[in-house]
Amino acid sequence: MAEDNNHKLLRVEGLSCSYALPRSWPWLPRRRLPVLDGISFEIASGRSLGIVGESGSGKSTLARTVMALHRPDAGRVLLKGRELHGLDAASLRRARADLQMVFQDPYGSLDPRMTVARIVAEPILARSGFTQAELAQRVREALEAVGLRVADMKRHPHEFSGGQRQRIAIARALVTRPKLIVMDEPVSALDVSIQAQVLNLLQELARWQNLSYLIISHDLAIVDHLCDEVLVLSQGRVIERGAPAEVFGQPREPYTQELVRAAAE
């Protein structure tokens, strides 16, 4: 299904999630811990959204649910009009050509046994219709887009710095030519000087390739730098939303005010 007339790339409607807790006694039913409660938002093509909140607010669960890695208790996630949690495995793999993820730890998310070429090609290896020459070309294009050399294709992750490894992870996300990239704390594991380089790279990629980002972060400066809109998450609920300059400049909720004060210290 094509995008609707409002060009909404991603639509999240009434998303609620919980996790089963261990039974206190074997004969008692499992209790559940609520994590997300009725989350709704939209991302238009070429626009980016940030989700901020303290640890335990539900940010990472939201990222995993948007990626269809976790099934919600209620609500829907629609990418270009398709409900992701209603797709069969083959259809979901095809849909993920438009939806990729970059994880927090650039080393832990890369298989140390694989070459860079194999790592970057991984998202499209399972898709039919590509020749070896086409695969190699896609990998070269992705590496060049993030400022790495074609000569790096034969190397392994341990041969690179942290910033370079995160560039490899971004290249892997780019290789399918996605419309949306979900990023969970994409630069928090990097040194401050390297963070700025990666953030500038992400900004340039968004402009060059009309990419949209969903950025999960506790760092308000990152969201302010990259996003057009921000949602503030507290105990699994959206308590404030708007342009970063508005939300961070004049926060209405005491919780958001505390986040801004803590970021300024």
Side-chain angles (χ1 to χ4, degrees), residues 21-32:
L21 296 173
R23 290 186 176 93
S24 51
W25 297 98
W27 58 83
L28 292 178
R30 283 185 183 272
R31 293 176 300 141
R32 298 193 70 84

Side-chain angles (χ1 to χ4, degrees), residues 5 29 43 58-60 63 83 88 100 107 122 152 157 166 178 189 212:
N5 292 332
I43 301 177
K59 303 188 305 295
S60 291
E83 186 178 355
D88 58 39
Q100 290 292 313
Y107 193 71
E122 193 173 13
D152 293 327
Q166 195 63 309
S212 294

Side-chain angles (χ1 to χ4, degrees), residues 113-244:
R113 299 165 299 180
M114 292 183 181
T115 63
V116 168
R118 177 65 174 76
I119 288 168
V120 174
E122 193 173 13
I124 56 174
L125 285 174
R127 297 173 61 196
S128 61
F130 288 98
T131 66
Q132 287 299 314
E134 289 168 338
L135 283 171
Q137 179 62 25
R138 284 284 193 103
V139 171
R140 285 194 294 269
E141 289 174 356
L143 289 174
E144 289 170 352
V146 300
L148 293 175
R149 302 171 304 164
V150 173
D152 293 327
M153 292 172 65
K154 296 181 180 180
R155 299 169 67 190
H156 291 79
H158 71 272
E159 300 179 70
F160 296 88
S161 68
Q164 288 173 320
R165 287 195 289 264
Q166 195 63 309
R167 286 172 182 259
I168 295 168
I170 294 167
R172 178 175 58 185
L174 290 174
V175 77
T176 65
R177 298 173 182 169
K179 302 297 184 184
L180 173 67
I181 299 179
V182 177
M183 298 189 172
D184 190 359
E185 303 285 3
V187 298
S188 64
L190 305 177
D191 293 339
V192 173
S193 59
I194 304 302
Q195 285 186 11
Q197 295 177 21
V198 175
L199 289 175
N200 288 336
L201 168 66
L202 293 174
Q203 194 171 47
E204 290 170 2
L205 289 171
R207 184 167 60 247
W208 293 343
Q209 302 190 18
N210 197 37
L211 274 174
S212 294
Y213 297 133
L214 172 60
I215 297 180
I216 310 293
S217 184
H218 70 279
D219 191 324
L220 308 191
I222 290 171
V223 171
D224 188 37
H225 188 76
L226 290 176
C227 297
D228 303 291
E229 186 180 11
V230 59
L231 305 187
V232 181
L233 209 62
S234 175
Q235 298 182 336
R237 306 186 76 175
V238 176
I239 62 167
E240 197 159 353
R241 70 176 69 200

